[in-house]
Amino acid sequence: MLLILGWFPCASRFELRSVAGTVIDRRGNALPDAVVQLENTGTLWVVSYITGKDGRYHFTGLRDDIDFTLKAKYRNLWSKQRTLSQFDSCKHFEVKLVIPTE
């Protein structure tokens, strides 16, 4: 029993962080109904969020010891992929995702 209790202080500690932002076109207009995908690069687990009229999205409860990738799709067009690195000490990311619409 003492061995188990002694192990807990050595256990990995992590904090939670979040990411939010807007999906926009090249002119800066918000894109409603865009699909934003957040992928855990370790497990390849993906969660999606559909933007509202204001083009905003948000994800919370992200562990700070894991890398995530973020990208958005609007119709058949994708934004560039962005990475949230575990080495970045930021606890709240604000990321604009630009869709190359004409």
Side-chain angles (χ1 to χ4, degrees):
M1 185 67 145
L2 291 176
L3 180 61
I4 292 173
L5 291 176
W7 177 77
F8 283 115
C10 297
S12 176
R13 301 219 193 301
F14 63 88
E15 293 186 29
L16 297 179
R17 58 186 174 166
S18 63
V19 61
T22 308
V23 179
I24 58 174
D25 64 14
R26 287 184 182 171
R27 295 185 182 129
N29 300 313
L31 295 175
D33 301 321
V35 177
V36 181
Q37 292 183 343
L38 179 78
E39 180 180 359
N40 176 320
T41 60
T43 64
L44 303 181
W45 170 81
V46 176
V47 64
S48 298
Y49 188 97
I50 299 175
T51 62
K53 292 179 184 179
D54 59 357
R56 298 274 307 160
Y57 68 90
H58 68 276
F59 296 96
T60 60
L62 309 176
R63 290 177 53 156
D64 68 352
D65 62 341
I66 298 172
D67 290 344
F68 293 90
T69 58
L70 186 67
K71 62 184 177 180
K73 180 180 180 184
Y74 184 74
R75 299 186 180 154
N76 290 327
L77 301 170
W78 287 92
S79 70
K80 289 183 180 180
Q81 182 172 288
R82 303 286 300 271
T83 300
L84 309 179
S85 173
Q86 63 183 311
F87 300 110
D88 191 326
S89 61
C90 184
K91 297 299 173 204
H92 178 74
F93 293 90
E94 186 72 26
V95 180
K96 285 185 183 177
L97 297 170
V98 180
I99 304 288
T101 59
E102 294 302 319

